Amino acid sequence: MTSTFRFPRPLLCGLLVLGAAAPWLATSTAHAQAARASAPRSADYIVAIVNQELVTNGEMQLRLANVKREAAQSGSKLPDDEELRRQLLEAMIDERAQLSSARDSGLRIEESEIDRTVTNVAVQNRITLVELRERLRREGIDFTRFRTNLKEQLLLERVREREVRNRIKVSDSEVDALVSSRASGATPAEYNVAQVLIAVPDGASEADVDARRLVAEKALARARAGEDFARLVAELSAGPKDQDGAIGLRAADRLPDLFAEAVRDLRTGALVPQVLRSGAGFHVLKLIERRDGGMVVEQTRARHILLRAGPQLSQAAAVARLAEFKQQIEAGRAMFAQLARDNSEDGSAPQGGDLGWAAPGQFVPEFEEAMKALAPNQISAPLVSRFGVHLIQVLERRSVPVDRKQQREIARNVLREQKFEEAYADWSREVRARAYVEMREPPQ
C-alpha cells in the first residue's frame, strides 16, 4: 500500500526574510536556485483547470522542490516522485477549488490590506519598499505576482476560517458531559451569611414561640424596608454580633443545610424572603457574599513569536529562523520580548509576544500541548501549528477556580478545537466535489 505524504494546509503568507536580516537565507536561496536550475527548461503550461483557476507546471515544480527540500531538512520520508507529484497535484486542485469558492462567496481583500502586509514585510526586514522590490527582482520574484500570492493566501485563510467555524456545532449535552468528566477538580460554592437570631428556649410555650416568630417577622419587614441589617443584629439578635452578625465565608457543606438551601439561589446582598425555623429559634438571613464553586484550572501565562509560512518563507526556513532566535536568547545575546516586537506576526507583538493568562482550551491543541510541557521560563523548540511556526516561552502558572459559566466556555472551546480538523476535511471534500476540474497535460 502506497504511503501518503500529508501536505499541510497552506497558511497565510508570512514575512519575506531577506539577506543580512537572516544569515540562513543564503542556504535557502542556494536551494531555490538549484531547484530552478534542475527544473525542466520547457515552456510553462497548464496542468489543470479548476473552475476559473489554473494549476501550472511551473508552480508545481517550485512547490515540488520546496516539499523535497523541507522533507530533507526534517528527515521526513517521501513517496516516489510519481506518487508525490500526484499527491501534490491533488492538494493544489483542492486549494484552487477553495480559492474559487472564496471568490464566488463575495469575499474580498482590499488593496489597502495587501499594502499593509507588503509594508510589514519591508519593516520587519528593516528595508524600504524600494529595497524590497529590488530584493524580489534579484530573487526572480515578480512584484505583481508577489502581491497576488499575498491576496490569494489572505482569501484562503478567510474563507476557511468562516466556512469551517460555521460548520462546527457543539451541543449543550456535549458540554455538560465534558464538564462532568472534569468535576473531580471542582471546588464547592462558598457563602457569607449574616443573621438575626431570635432564640427560642427549650420547652417554650406555644404562645412564647408565636411571640418570638412575630419579632422575627417584624425584623425581616424592617430589613426589607431598608433598615440597616447591622442595626437589627445589634438590637435583636441572640447570636454572635461581631462582624454585624456575619459568620464568614464557608463552603456550602459547612453551613447548616437550612441555610445553604435558603441562600443557594440568592444574589449578593439579598434577604432570604421568609423567616426560617430551626432548633435554635427563628432566623432572619442576609447573603453578604457568595463565591460560586467551580473547577480549579491551571492557567498559563506565556509569550510567543509567530512566523507564518507561505510562498516567500517556507516552513523549514521559519523553523530555522526561530531556532536561531532560541539560541540567541539562551546565550543572552537577545531578549525574547524584543525579538517578538521586531519579528512576530501575531497581534501580541507590541506586548513582546505576551499572550496573557490562558485557561485550557484557549489555544489550538498543538500549541497547548507544547506549552503544557514547558517549565516556567523554558523555551520550546520551534512548533508548527495551523497558523504558522511558533517559539513559545512559559512565564508563570497559577491554579484558579472557575465558575460554572467559565467551565462551560472552556469546555466549549476544547470541543470546538477537537472538531476543527474533521470539519475542515468535510468542507474541503465538499468544495472539491462541486468544482469543475479539467485535467490537461500531466506535470513533468
Side-chain angles (χ1 to χ4, degrees):
M1 181 174 175
T2 305
S3 62
T4 300
F5 177 76
R6 185 181 178 188
F7 293 98
R9 296 200 310 274
L11 298 165
L12 178 63
C13 179
L15 295 183
L16 173 65
V17 184
L18 300 165
W24 48 262
L25 182 74
T27 302
S28 179
T29 302
H31 279 301
Q33 291 170 344
R36 286 195 294 269
S38 61
R41 298 182 179 275
S42 59
D44 198 7
Y45 57 86
I46 296 172
V47 172
I49 300 174
V50 186
N51 295 334
Q52 294 81 34
E53 309 291 333
L54 304 180
V55 177
T56 68
N57 183 64
E59 184 175 1
M60 276 205 63
Q61 295 305 321
L62 288 175
R63 291 207 186 184
L64 186 63
N66 284 335
V67 168
K68 288 184 175 181
R69 182 175 68 253
E70 292 187 9
Q73 292 173 347
S74 64
S76 301
K77 185 177 181 180
L78 294 174
D80 60 60
D81 283 355
E82 182 179 354
E83 176 63 16
L84 182 59
R85 279 194 293 269
R86 186 193 67 78
Q87 292 180 21
L88 179 58
L89 177 58
E90 288 296 309
M92 292 179 69
I93 290 173
D94 286 346
E95 180 183 314
R96 293 297 193 270
Q98 293 170 21
L99 187 59
S100 178
S101 177
R103 299 192 207 278
D104 291 345
S105 71
L107 279 176
R108 297 289 183 269
I109 304 297
E110 299 295 332
E111 290 298 311
S112 58
E113 188 172 353
I114 303 173
D115 290 340
R116 286 194 299 271
T117 307
V118 173
T119 300
N120 284 340
V121 172
V123 169
Q124 301 250 353
N125 284 279
R126 299 180 179 86
I127 57 177
T128 67
L129 287 174
V130 173
E131 290 170 330
L132 174 62
R133 283 175 174 265
E134 177 59 23
R135 292 287 181 87
L136 290 170
R137 186 192 64 78
R138 289 205 302 267
E139 292 297 319
I141 302 170
D142 178 73
F143 186 72
T144 301
R145 184 59 198 168
F146 174 69
R147 287 179 60 91
T148 300
N149 285 341
L150 289 175
K151 182 176 182 179
E152 290 178 352
Q153 291 298 313
L154 288 166
L155 268 174
L156 284 171
E157 283 302 302
R158 198 152 297 171
V159 72
R160 286 168 182 151
E161 186 67 19
R162 185 185 72 178
E163 295 297 330
V164 176
R165 289 294 176 188
N166 287 342
R167 285 169 170 262
I168 298 174
K169 306 299 181 186
V170 177
S171 68
D172 288 342
S173 61
E174 289 176 303
V175 173
D176 291 340
L178 184 56
V179 170
S180 296
S181 72
R182 299 182 173 188
S184 60
T187 57
E190 294 181 313
Y191 306 96
N192 185 7
V193 180
Q195 71 164 332
V196 175
L197 170 62
I198 308 301
V200 176
D202 293 339
S205 66
E206 187 175 337
D208 192 14
V209 171
D210 288 343
R212 291 171 186 268
R213 177 185 290 109
L214 183 59
V215 172
E217 289 175 346
K218 286 182 177 179
L220 177 59
R222 289 167 64 183
R224 283 177 170 172
E227 192 166 338
D228 183 38
F229 198 84
R231 179 179 175 181
L232 295 173
V233 170
E235 179 185 336
L236 301 171
S237 185
K241 297 183 180 182
D242 57 324
Q243 300 183 41
D244 299 327
I247 62 176
L249 271 172
R250 294 186 185 180
D253 58 4
R254 294 182 56 228
L255 286 173
D257 291 344
L258 183 70
F259 286 17
E261 185 64 30
V263 302
R264 180 170 289 117
D265 297 324
L266 291 185
R267 69 182 187 280
T268 297
L271 294 160
V272 172
Q274 67 279 331
V275 171
L276 302 181
R277 176 71 159 97
S278 77
F282 295 99
H283 307 264
V284 178
L285 301 183
K286 180 178 182 179
L287 182 60
I288 304 301
E289 181 184 1
R290 68 178 296 149
R291 293 181 183 174
D292 289 329
M295 185 169 55
V296 175
V297 300
E298 184 177 69
Q299 292 183 334
T300 302
R301 181 168 164 245
R303 56 187 175 187
H304 78 145
I305 301 171
L306 171 66
L307 300 181
R308 299 185 188 269
Q312 311 308 328
L313 178 64
S314 71
Q315 188 179 98
V319 168
R321 188 181 186 201
L322 290 177
E324 182 184 344
F325 285 173
K326 180 181 180 181
Q327 290 179 354
Q328 291 175 1
I329 296 165
E330 291 177 339
R333 299 195 304 272
M335 302 293 289
F336 194 109
Q338 191 59 51
L339 287 174
R341 280 189 284 268
D342 292 343
N343 298 280
S344 183
E345 297 178 76
D346 185 63
S348 63
Q351 291 77 48
D354 195 332
L355 297 167
W357 287 104
Q362 188 167 327
F363 300 124
V364 295
E366 55 269 32
F367 186 99
E368 192 155 302
E369 183 178 349
M371 182 179 71
K372 187 177 180 180
L374 296 174
N377 297 316
Q378 186 179 3
I379 301 174
S380 71
L383 165 76
V384 178
S385 83
R386 72 182 64 149
F387 297 109
V389 187
H390 311 257
L391 193 66
I392 309 169
Q393 183 180 38
V394 167
L395 299 174
E396 51 185 325
R397 287 195 172 94
R398 67 184 182 188
S399 293
V400 296
V402 292
D403 60 26
R404 180 75 176 177
K405 182 179 179 181
Q406 290 172 313
Q407 288 179 48
R408 293 181 64 81
E409 186 61 28
I410 290 171
R412 197 173 295 276
N413 288 338
V414 168
L415 290 166
R416 280 184 172 276
E417 286 303 328
Q418 288 176 352
K419 294 185 175 189
F420 188 93
E421 289 299 328
E422 182 180 353
Y424 172 80
D426 289 344
W427 171 74
S428 181
R429 281 193 295 268
E430 290 177 19
V431 171
R432 171 67 178 270
R434 292 195 303 266
Y436 166 78
V437 180
E438 178 184 339
M439 306 302 293
R440 293 291 185 88
E441 298 182 55
Q444 293 185 357

